[in-house]
Amino acid sequence: MTKTNLFKTYLKYLLPTLATMVLFSTYTMIDGIFVGQGVGSHALSAVNIAMPYVALLFAVSMLISIGSSNIITYYLGRKDEHRANEAFTIGLFLSFTISIILTLVSYFNLDILVDMLGATDSIKDLVKDYLSVIILFSTFFIMTYIFEIMVKADGTPQLAIVFMVVSALTNIVLDYVFIFIYDYGVKGAAVATGIAQTLPCIGYVIYFRSKKAKLSLTKFKLRLSNLKEIFIYGAPASLTELSTGFIILMFNNALGDSYGEVGLTTFSVLAYVLTLVVNTMLAINQSAQPLTSYFYGAKEYGVVNRLKRYMLVTVAIAGILIFTMIQIFPGQVFGLFFKSDDVEFIKFSIYALRIFSLGFLVLGFNTGIGGYLTAVKRPKYEFIISALRGYISISLSIILIPMIFSHHSIWYALFASELLTLLVSLFLLNKSSELAKK
């Protein structure tokens, strides 16, 4: 394969995947914009409190979908269609089963869940209103994302963007109808989001039952080795997605203690921006991953190295663009979500966003390197990276930085955490290259 053909193939996966993720993040942000503008800042804080649960849903999706996808594309590279279809079927079965269990457990323990998320008394009822609806649509959240990853493994990534556009437009229209026309508040926003996840799920089911799909359901025996293989390859990406919810949870608790509702309201906007950035970087990762896994299975290691370079350059460009836009237009970002005449609050929020966004320059390299390492059969390395950046280093940064300096320095925590993780990522990437030479 020539460099030109490889780059075109990479773009074929990158553009629809990136567009899909950005659209998803954008309509999630629009959900927040409608809530902030139509219901108020209290409601926006309530939705932010609930975001770790939504992150959990997508973490479960990634655990199974990324694990299954890597196995599927690996066997497709080996021309073993039966094993690929078996991995596809097992992935769907596990996703559906786990989603039903998660829905039931969450719904019947709603009060406990709301308390675990750290909802304050002033917004607890709003959090319950929002979560009670989202939980009922949990299966569609999980299955839609599973199908989105599977359709890329199937070789038709452009279909994902079609369904995402349908989902995004549905969410926007229903947000307006339920919040501004019928005044359903946060429950209306949750229903709009749930329906927007349901429609593409139905579309994917129709596609995979058609003759156009290469992957198909087949009989399978669920062995422990199957589960182990899927979880090993899916766990790092799942941890990365779940880490967004964990980071939001950690910041919510720390900022609630230091700044009260002012800090929570500010971070509710930062959380949406963070989700957009993480999803953008994950999209770049997911674009390169199936191709890398395929060519690694085919033992075309020169192609694998070129894909790694494409991925890292794309991550760098995306990080710089996002950071630059935030530095230039921070006030406009907050203006999208709510209106405030409090000049000091706006100054505080802009200050926080500009510093917090330093982490976006580094974040993508950690997710990208981790995804590459899993694709070349080093999932343990990505697990180390995911655990460090999403849990260990961010926890230490949020706790220690304000203690050593001042509570205002907490906004540097993300940058410090990602920078520390990058040192480890580069070490593991170099170690992986050395192992490949042996």
Side-chain angles (χ1 to χ4, degrees):
M1 176 176 285
T2 66
K3 288 186 177 181
T4 302
N5 289 337
L6 178 63
F7 187 65
K8 287 181 178 179
T9 303
Y10 171 69
L11 289 180
K12 176 186 174 183
Y13 279 78
L14 173 66
L15 296 179
T17 305
L18 192 58
T20 300
M21 277 294 200
V22 170
L23 273 171
F24 169 74
S25 300
T26 301
Y27 89 62
T28 301
M29 290 177 71
I30 289 172
D31 203 50
I33 291 169
F34 274 110
V35 170
Q37 298 283 1
V39 188
S41 59
H42 283 314
L44 186 62
S45 297
V47 173
N48 177 50
I49 291 291
M51 282 180 72
Y53 179 79
V54 178
L56 172 64
L57 297 180
F58 286 105
V60 171
S61 304
M62 281 194 163
L63 174 65
I64 301 169
S65 63
I66 299 298
S68 300
S69 176
N70 273 282
I71 296 167
I72 291 167
T73 51
Y74 179 79
Y75 282 119
L76 287 176
R78 294 277 183 172
K79 310 301 181 185
D80 190 340
E81 293 184 4
H82 173 72
R83 295 290 295 274
N85 284 328
E86 188 178 49
F88 170 71
T89 308
I90 291 173
L92 294 183
F93 171 78
L94 286 175
S95 303
F96 184 76
T97 303
I98 292 174
S99 69
I100 295 297
I101 295 171
L102 185 60
T103 298
L104 294 173
V105 172
S106 300
Y107 192 80
F108 289 109
N109 293 279
L110 181 59
D111 289 329
I112 296 173
L113 179 60
V114 170
D115 288 335
M116 287 175 62
L117 292 171
T120 59
D121 291 337
S122 61
I123 60 173
K124 185 173 289 188
D125 288 339
L126 287 171
V127 177
K128 288 177 66 175
D129 285 345
Y130 186 79
L131 263 183
S132 62
V133 176
I134 291 295
I135 287 170
L136 295 177
F137 286 98
S138 293
T139 298
F140 293 103
F141 273 85
I142 291 174
M143 295 307 297
T144 295
Y145 191 80
I146 292 288
F147 281 128
E148 182 187 317
I149 298 299
M150 294 300 190
V151 83
K152 294 166 190 171
D154 191 67
T156 51
Q158 63 275 10
L159 192 62
I161 193 171
V162 173
F163 288 136
M164 182 54 69
V165 169
V166 171
S167 180
L169 292 176
T170 300
N171 192 61
I172 291 169
V173 172
L174 293 182
D175 263 337
Y176 178 78
V177 171
F178 292 152
I179 293 175
F180 285 96
I181 296 179
Y182 289 104
D183 197 25
Y184 288 161
V186 292
K187 273 194 173 182
V191 171
T193 301
I195 293 174
Q197 290 293 316
T198 303
L199 293 182
C201 185
I202 295 170
Y204 283 125
V205 169
I206 293 172
Y207 170 76
F208 278 112
R209 290 185 62 83
S210 72
K211 294 181 179 180
K212 294 181 179 179
K214 300 180 184 68
L215 295 171
S216 60
L217 296 175
T218 187
K219 292 182 179 179
F220 69 93
K221 290 183 179 180
L222 194 60
R223 307 177 187 90
L224 185 61
S225 59
N226 298 134
L227 297 176
K228 183 179 178 182
E229 195 173 17
I230 288 173
F231 290 159
I232 284 175
Y233 287 106
S238 177
L239 279 175
T240 299
E241 176 63 30
L242 187 59
S243 70
T244 303
F246 181 78
I247 291 169
I248 292 171
L249 185 63
M250 288 291 293
F251 269 105
N252 280 340
N253 289 330
L255 293 170
D257 293 337
S258 299
Y259 296 104
E261 194 165 325
V262 171
L264 290 175
T265 302
T266 295
F267 191 71
S268 64
V269 177
L270 269 61
Y272 279 107
V273 179
L274 174 63
T275 302
L276 170 64
V277 176
V278 170
N279 285 342
T280 298
M281 299 309 177
L282 284 174
I284 297 170
N285 173 16
Q286 291 167 19
S287 302
Q289 218 178 25
L291 291 172
T292 302
S293 180
Y294 178 91
F295 286 111
Y296 189 81
K299 298 183 178 181
E300 295 190 32
Y301 303 123
V303 177
V304 169
N305 285 327
R306 291 208 302 273
L307 284 167
K308 177 179 66 177
R309 289 195 295 271
Y310 294 158
M311 179 268 297
L312 291 175
V313 170
T314 308
V315 159
I317 293 171
I320 292 170
L321 284 175
I322 293 170
F323 175 77
T324 302
M325 293 297 289
I326 288 173
Q327 297 304 309
I328 296 173
F329 303 110
Q332 286 81 349
V333 172
F334 281 96
L336 288 172
F337 289 88
F338 51 77
K339 296 176 182 178
S340 176
D341 297 325
D342 190 337
V343 176
E344 291 303 315
F345 170 70
I346 295 298
K347 285 183 179 179
F348 168 77
S349 298
I350 289 175
Y351 166 81
L353 177 58
R354 279 180 165 157
I355 295 175
F356 190 78
S357 65
L358 285 168
F360 302 159
L361 293 169
V362 189
L363 187 155
F365 289 104
N366 290 319
T367 56
I369 291 172
Y372 168 81
L373 290 171
T374 290
V376 296
K377 305 301 178 185
R378 303 286 189 275
K380 290 182 181 179
Y381 288 177
E382 187 180 6
F383 182 87
I384 293 171
I385 294 170
S386 298
L388 184 60
R389 71 162 290 272
Y391 303 91
I392 301 171
S393 63
I394 190 64
S395 297
L396 291 174
S397 296
I398 290 174
I399 294 169
L400 296 178
I401 288 178
M403 288 176 59
I404 297 171
F405 301 101
S406 70
H407 68 279
H408 295 301
S409 61
I410 193 173
W411 305 112
Y412 288 96
L414 181 69
F415 178 62
S417 171
E418 295 292 346
L419 201 58
L420 173 63
T421 305
L422 182 59
L423 297 176
V424 177
S425 296
L426 292 173
F427 170 77
L428 293 175
L429 181 63
N430 183 61
K431 188 176 181 180
S432 173
S433 300
E434 290 176 356
L435 288 172
K437 293 176 182 177
K438 294 180 181 180

